[in-house]
């Protein structure tokens, strides 16, 4: 029996690069209503950034007080994203930062899913962050960026670290938008051989392959899809 696809709409989080995450209340209100009508199960409201240079709107930080001010329709789960770079000081994982960014347990927060975006090299440093998040009750996703250039040996190391640190979902992020449909299938099939958890896919459209790559990923068994 085919599993239900879990759609994450990350319009606000990813689209924020164009307007410094400064969205109007009216826009967000209508956007959330539209997601509810479309029965989207997850919305990635934005980032929870720690380091900051220059102006950024509230959706770049998405702290719990701000999330509590939003009228999020019932049935929609909330996701936020953290950049791995924010968790690294002096080339080491800083546990205090993850506790500052997520001071509350999931039962006291509107956040259901925390995704951390990182390269293979950063994941080797910040992997323990996922175990901390899991202990706080959050569902977790590792967004491996630049997936088009990762090697099988590196992906094997990712799986080993992910398993040890309670990662729920390994997300394949085609940051360069350079994957072909055939390569998408190859990566997913290799990952399925070594990883028992769920898999997600985040496409970019640099070559016009975002839709076909996403459909190929679904056809080959992935469960989580960024369908912005």
């Amino acid at each position: 029996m085919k599993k239900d696809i879990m759609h994450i709409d990350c319009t606000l989080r990813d689209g924020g690069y164009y307007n410094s995450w400064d969205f109007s209340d009216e826009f967000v209100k209508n956007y959330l209503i539209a997601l509810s009508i479309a029965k989207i199960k997850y919305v990635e409201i934005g980032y929870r950034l720690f380091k900051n240079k220059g102006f950024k709107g509230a959706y770049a930080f998405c702290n719990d007080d701000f999330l509590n001010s939003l009228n999020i329709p019932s049935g929609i789960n909330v996701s936020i994203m953290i950049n791995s770079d924010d968790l690294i000081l002096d080339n080491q994982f800083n546990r205090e930062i993850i506790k500052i960014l997520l001071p509350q347990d999931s039962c006291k927060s509107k956040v259901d899913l925390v995704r951390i975006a990182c390269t293979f090299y950063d994941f080797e440093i910040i992997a323990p962050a996922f175990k901390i998040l899991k202990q706080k009750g959050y569902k977790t996703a590792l967004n491996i960026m630049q997936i088009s250039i990762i090697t099988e040996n590196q992906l094997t190391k990712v799986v080993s670290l992910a398993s040890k640190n309670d990662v729920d979902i390994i997300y394949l992020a085609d940051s360069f938008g350079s994957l072909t449909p055939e390569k998408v299938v190859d990566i997913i099939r290799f990952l399925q051989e070594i990883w028992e958890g769920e898999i997600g896919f985040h496409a970019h459209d640099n070559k016009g392959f975002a839709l076909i790559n996403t459909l190929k990923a679904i056809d080959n068994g992935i469960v989580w899809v960024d369908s912005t």
Side-chain angles (χ1 to χ4, degrees):
M1 184 176 178
K2 194 169 184 178
K3 294 182 180 179
D4 290 337
I5 299 301
M6 304 298 289
H7 294 279
I8 300 181
D9 189 283
C10 51
T11 298
L12 299 181
R13 196 270 304 169
D14 227 351
Y17 284 101
Y18 290 93
N19 68 346
S20 297
W21 296 275
D22 188 23
F23 297 97
S24 71
D25 293 343
E26 186 68 17
F27 172 81
V28 174
K29 175 185 174 182
N30 292 333
Y31 161 77
L32 291 172
I33 290 172
L35 292 188
S36 179
I37 293 170
K39 300 188 184 305
I40 298 297
K41 296 177 181 177
Y42 278 82
V43 56
E44 194 159 75
I45 294 290
Y47 279 104
R48 189 162 288 188
L49 299 180
F50 183 74
K51 301 172 185 176
N52 183 37
K53 293 181 180 180
F55 170 79
K56 292 183 178 68
Y59 294 88
F61 304 99
C62 286
N63 63 35
D64 286 313
D65 287 340
F66 176 68
L67 289 176
N68 288 335
S69 74
L70 298 178
N71 184 19
I72 300 171
S74 62
I76 296 181
N77 299 298
V78 173
S79 170
I80 59 168
M81 180 170 279
I82 296 172
N83 282 327
S84 60
D85 180 65
D86 274 353
L87 306 178
I88 298 173
L89 286 178
D90 299 323
N91 294 316
Q92 292 185 331
F93 168 56
N94 188 299
R95 292 174 178 269
E96 295 309 309
I97 293 176
I98 195 73
K99 294 176 183 177
I100 291 170
L101 289 176
L102 287 127
Q104 302 190 94
D105 290 347
S106 64
C107 61
K108 297 179 181 179
S109 173
K110 281 191 175 181
V111 176
D112 300 286
L113 171 66
V114 180
R115 303 205 292 176
I116 301 181
C118 58
T119 64
F120 163 74
Y121 301 101
D122 281 354
F123 181 51
E124 288 189 303
I125 299 172
I126 62 92
F130 289 91
K131 187 177 284 290
I132 294 172
L133 291 172
K134 200 65 182 174
Q135 290 168 349
K136 286 177 165 288
Y138 294 99
K139 181 181 284 291
T140 63
L142 161 65
N143 277 42
I144 289 289
M145 299 186 294
Q146 304 173 5
I147 197 65
S148 58
I149 60 171
I150 199 168
T151 67
E152 289 187 351
N153 284 339
Q154 288 173 332
L155 199 51
T156 300
K157 290 181 181 178
V158 165
V159 167
S160 177
L161 278 172
S163 299
K164 292 175 183 176
N165 288 281
D166 298 334
V167 173
D168 292 311
I169 310 157
I170 292 180
Y171 238 94
L172 309 174
D174 185 16
S175 313
F176 299 138
S178 58
L179 287 179
T180 62
E182 293 76 19
K183 185 64 174 176
V184 170
V185 174
D186 288 344
I187 295 173
I188 290 173
R189 287 181 177 172
F190 177 76
L191 183 55
Q192 287 169 334
E193 290 178 1
I194 58 175
W195 169 248
E196 295 182 356
E198 294 179 333
I199 302 172
F201 185 67
H202 175 91
H204 282 204
D205 205 36
N206 302 52
K207 290 187 174 181
F209 288 159
L211 179 56
I212 189 172
N213 282 349
T214 301
L215 293 174
K216 277 288 185 183
I218 292 171
D219 287 343
N220 283 273
I222 68 124
V223 176
W224 293 81
V225 176
D226 283 10
S227 49
T228 304

